Amino acid sequence: MPKVGIKEKEIIAKIVFYGPGLGGKTTNMQFIHRKAHPQYRGNLVSLATETDRTLFFDFLPMALKKVGGFDLRFHLFTVPGQVFYAESRRIILNGVDGVVFVADSHPARRAANEESFDDLIQNLKLYRLDVRKIPVVLQYNKRDLPSAMPIADMRKELNYIKVPDFEAVAMEGIGVVETFQKITRMVLEQVQKELGINVSN
Amino acid sequence: MERHLQKLRNGWSASIHLEREAMNRKAPWMDLMNRTDSRPEFDMLINRFIESLEEIALRFFSEEIDFDQIRRRMKSRKMSQPVVELLKLLASLEQFEQSITQLTDADSGNARDRGSEGAPAVDMEKILEDFDDVDIFSEYREGDAVYGAEYEADDQKILNELFFQILDGYLDPIIVGFRALISGNTNLKLVEALLASIRPLRRSAETMGFRSLHQAFLGMEAQLEATMSTSVVRPLDRIQLLQSFDQLARLLPQSTHHASALDVMDPDATSHSLILSLVVAPGVEGWMVQSLLEVGIFSPQRLLAATPSDIQAVTGLPSDTCLEILTRCRRAYAESQSQFR
């Protein structure tokens, strides 16, 4: 659950953008950084290779002051998607409160999507998290590709956990804001749910 | 002190009642409050009272309060009882606040509680309602507020911790490569692979603003490039590679496990950087250190255990020369250690 600081009046949540390499995780984050009001977002830090592939992670801090009397802080991270960066992904997932899974609509990336989704499930298990119980949003990116896989097929293969999903063209910002708004709200709803349990039990 | 604690315990119990009733907005005592002429003042007092209790509870009582007992008591009580308790406590509010001030002067550091059992309720409905009203993607206009500077230090801390955690993982294969090179692997493809691994790390260190770390990676890169240009990994290169790694290892936080260059040389080694101490020791020539490296003598333990024939078998040097190497190196190492005693 996100950190709830009663005294500090703040809620801090970690949201991770997960998915196969070159799927558009960094592009999502760049768009959020570019379009979010400067009041709400800090600096975007991208630690990338010389070919601009994410090596460590991207990090974008966001903060909304005095929302219902609390400061809401969201720490957004991307993971490196390439298979061989498995250890980095595990480290970044530690303490995660919400996940955006960015899938690639290109037919050639079908297996990579599934592999990455399985990787997410396994890595969450390491932290005793269940993909069905934490806030997860699926994003089908690159919907503008002429050869994009049918949404129904992608849903069937990836969204068997029945979480909210969105079509997107992250390069143009289509679907990015909706995805972000959904995951942040789900994370807050999770806080509500867990605090409710804590108080009423 | 015990008197204060008892009073606070009672107050805490009452505050939980009040918060829950207030959130439900259906408690009978709220009607009573609505009929009071001085409602704003009454509200203010309640708020101050509850805030103080929350703070006290977080600072002092997270382990002392028997929350289960409080819950049992809450369930068995009637709605009006919290009001009676509250009024009693409000009557002595001034004295109560003085007690709180005395107690809160000491900071126990237990300020942030992660939704612990029995934590005060947060009005999540209100938060969600207000959250929906915020337009994060509204257009920026001149004079608008910008991201809070108060968050930046905390953001940077999170960033740094994660960076070093991940860097640690990236260094593992580099250490394996360095170990191979220093131990005598002369494969230039290995040098090439190490260069390819180090370059993005150097860039990342630069992006993070870690100047010394960036410089250390640059030093390693320069050394590897020099090795590449000679098309052969010479014994001298090995020493310099070791030194360049040592520079890096010294910059890494203690939380990472790459404590010194010696770890690169010998995972069993303890804390003394043998080879580096020998490189600068009087009486020990460079070629002698190179001979040790070629044989794989990286640690004090190995230096003490080695025989002239171990060195001869690898280097082909005469037996008496090998003995001379061992004698001088052991003496130099012993002297270097005695300086620190």
Side-chain angles (χ1 to χ4, degrees):
Chain A
M1 191 178 96
K3 286 179 186 167
V4 181
I6 305 287
K7 182 175 164 287
E8 300 91 337
K9 296 272 181 197
E10 68 178 12
I11 295 174
I12 306 175
K14 180 177 186 175
I15 295 172
V16 175
F17 285 70
Y18 213 93
L22 298 167
K25 300 177 290 296
T26 300
T27 311
N28 261 272
M29 196 165 302
Q30 285 168 339
F31 186 84
I32 293 168
H33 177 255
R34 203 164 57 243
K35 290 293 177 186
H37 191 288
Q39 180 182 354
Y40 303 121
R41 53 104 175 126
N43 293 325
L44 171 64
V45 178
S46 286
L47 299 172
T49 65
E50 284 170 54
T51 51
D52 283 334
R53 301 276 69 84
T54 303
L55 174 68
F56 281 71
F57 51 79
D58 304 303
F59 174 59
L60 176 62
M62 301 192 76
L64 285 69
K65 282 186 184 176
K66 303 280 175 276
V67 178
F70 272 65
D71 287 359
L72 307 183
R73 297 173 62 191
F74 297 105
H75 293 147
L76 274 51
F77 289 90
T78 65
V79 296
Q82 284 71 17
V83 176
F84 43 87
Y85 293 135
E87 182 60 24
S88 302
R89 284 193 291 278
R90 277 194 283 276
I91 293 169
I92 294 163
L93 267 187
N94 189 12
V96 69
D97 300 304
V99 176
V100 173
F101 186 87
V102 182
D104 192 328
S105 296
H106 196 288
R109 302 297 286 162
R110 168 176 275 154
N113 288 333
E114 288 181 26
E115 196 179 336
S116 179
F117 199 67
D118 288 343
D119 182 58
L120 168 66
I121 292 169
Q122 294 310 316
N123 283 336
L124 286 174
K125 277 183 187 167
L126 291 175
Y127 298 111
R128 297 182 181 185
L129 294 172
D130 183 342
V131 75
R132 292 170 195 272
K133 289 182 182 166
I134 67 160
V136 174
V137 171
L138 261 167
Q139 185 191 78
Y140 310 111
N141 192 24
K142 306 187 188 177
R143 295 309 302 163
D144 57 335
L145 289 175
S147 59
M149 286 182 276
I151 279 293
D153 290 359
M154 292 188 80
R155 275 208 178 104
K156 194 176 167 190
E157 284 161 13
L158 297 170
N159 201 4
Y160 51 87
I161 55 170
K162 309 283 183 204
V163 294
D165 55 8
F166 295 90
E167 295 187 44
V169 184
M171 288 287 278
E172 294 171 26
I174 298 167
V176 174
V177 170
E178 293 83 347
T179 305
F180 173 76
Q181 285 171 333
K182 188 67 189 174
I183 191 66
T184 45
R185 202 176 200 288
M186 284 172 75
V187 165
L188 293 175
E189 285 166 0
Q190 185 79 359
V191 176
Q192 184 179 36
K193 197 171 143 190
E194 295 192 24
L195 280 181
I197 289 166
N198 279 337
V199 172
S200 62
N201 275 350
Chain B
M1 186 65 174
E2 186 52 38
R3 192 170 54 86
H4 289 311
L5 293 177
Q6 191 53 49
K7 191 178 280 186
L8 291 169
R9 283 192 184 100
N10 294 339
W12 172 241
S13 173
S15 80
I16 290 180
H17 278 284
L18 285 168
E19 284 203 332
R20 285 178 60 86
E21 313 298 357
M23 279 178 76
N24 293 331
R25 303 206 181 278
K26 60 185 181 187
W29 56 265
M30 287 194 77
D31 289 331
L32 284 172
M33 281 170 60
N34 288 336
R35 286 199 292 273
T36 307
D37 289 340
S38 59
R39 171 70 194 273
E41 192 185 342
F42 198 27
D43 278 356
M44 188 193 73
L45 287 171
I46 290 173
N47 287 339
R48 279 166 61 190
F49 171 62
I50 291 176
E51 277 173 20
S52 302
L53 285 173
E54 283 177 352
E55 187 166 338
I56 289 290
L58 284 168
R59 282 168 184 260
F60 294 98
F61 293 149
S62 55
E63 291 175 5
E64 286 190 52
I65 288 188
D66 184 346
F67 289 104
D68 287 330
Q69 191 193 14
I70 290 172
R71 282 196 195 91
R72 282 196 296 276
R73 286 170 60 195
M74 279 169 63
K75 283 177 185 172
S76 64
R77 283 184 179 191
K78 292 177 182 173
M79 289 290 191
S80 59
Q81 280 182 300
V83 184
V84 176
E85 283 190 34
L86 175 70
L87 290 174
K88 280 181 189 169
L89 284 162
L90 284 176
S92 59
L93 186 63
E94 197 176 330
Q95 188 189 349
F96 184 62
E97 283 192 332
Q98 281 173 3
S99 309
I100 288 169
T101 308
Q102 286 168 9
L103 287 169
T104 52
D105 282 341
D107 189 351
S108 71
N110 187 26
R112 178 173 291 168
D113 193 358
R114 229 187 124 108
S116 64
E117 201 182 15
V122 181
D123 190 350
M124 283 308 299
E125 268 180 38
K126 172 77 175 144
I127 289 173
L128 282 165
E129 209 176 285
D130 286 3
F131 176 71
D132 290 339
D133 290 339
V134 178
D135 184 4
I136 296 172
F137 297 94
S138 61
E139 201 172 315
Y140 175 75
R141 290 179 187 164
E142 206 169 319
D144 278 358
V146 293
Y147 186 75
E150 68 270 31
Y151 301 131
E152 285 171 2
D154 192 34
D155 293 343
Q156 192 62 46
K157 189 172 165 240
I158 291 163
L159 195 57
N160 291 355
E161 281 175 5
L162 194 56
F163 175 80
F164 279 110
Q165 267 184 299
I166 296 178
L167 178 66
D168 204 32
Y170 284 123
L171 286 177
D172 283 338
I174 292 175
I175 288 173
V176 172
F178 263 70
R179 186 178 291 150
L181 274 185
I182 294 164
S183 305
N185 187 319
T186 55
N187 190 337
L188 287 176
K189 281 186 181 168
L190 177 61
V191 179
E192 214 170 331
L194 281 169
L195 266 172
S197 305
I198 287 169
R199 279 184 187 130
L201 299 185
R202 184 249 303 156
R203 267 172 53 111
S204 298
E206 190 178 15
T207 305
M208 290 289 294
F210 295 129
R211 276 193 210 166
S212 304
L213 197 59
H214 175 237
Q215 285 299 320
F217 280 127
L218 265 183
M220 290 169 83
E221 248 185 273
Q223 194 49 51
L224 288 166
E225 277 165 359
T227 304
M228 279 290 285
S229 66
T230 57
S231 303
V232 63
V233 185
R234 300 165 304 178
L236 183 63
D237 292 333
R238 292 178 203 156
I239 295 173
Q240 284 165 346
L241 284 167
L242 177 63
Q243 285 173 325
S244 71
F245 186 86
D246 195 59
Q247 193 195 352
L248 171 75
R250 284 167 199 275
L251 293 169
L252 299 176
Q254 289 186 344
S255 56
T256 64
H257 63 266
H258 311 299
S260 77
L262 195 58
D263 291 342
V264 178
M265 309 299 297
D266 182 0
D268 302 324
T270 52
S271 59
H272 306 299
S273 188
L274 167 69
I275 302 299
L276 292 178
S277 70
L278 293 183
V279 167
V280 295
V284 177
E285 314 254 341
W287 63 268
M288 293 180 171
V289 181
Q290 290 165 25
S291 303
L292 292 186
L293 285 170
E294 283 183 57
V295 180
I297 299 172
F298 309 131
S299 66
Q301 290 88 340
R302 289 191 192 179
L303 179 64
L304 294 172
T307 63
S309 57
D310 292 334
I311 299 174
Q312 191 179 28
V314 176
T315 62
L317 292 168
S319 178
D320 55 342
T321 308
C322 296
L323 179 62
E324 183 71 11
I325 291 171
L326 279 177
T327 308
R328 284 211 209 176
C329 288
R330 282 172 180 165
R331 189 186 304 136
Y333 177 71
E335 282 171 7
S336 73
Q337 294 309 299
S338 66
Q339 287 172 10
F340 298 104
R341 284 178 193 140

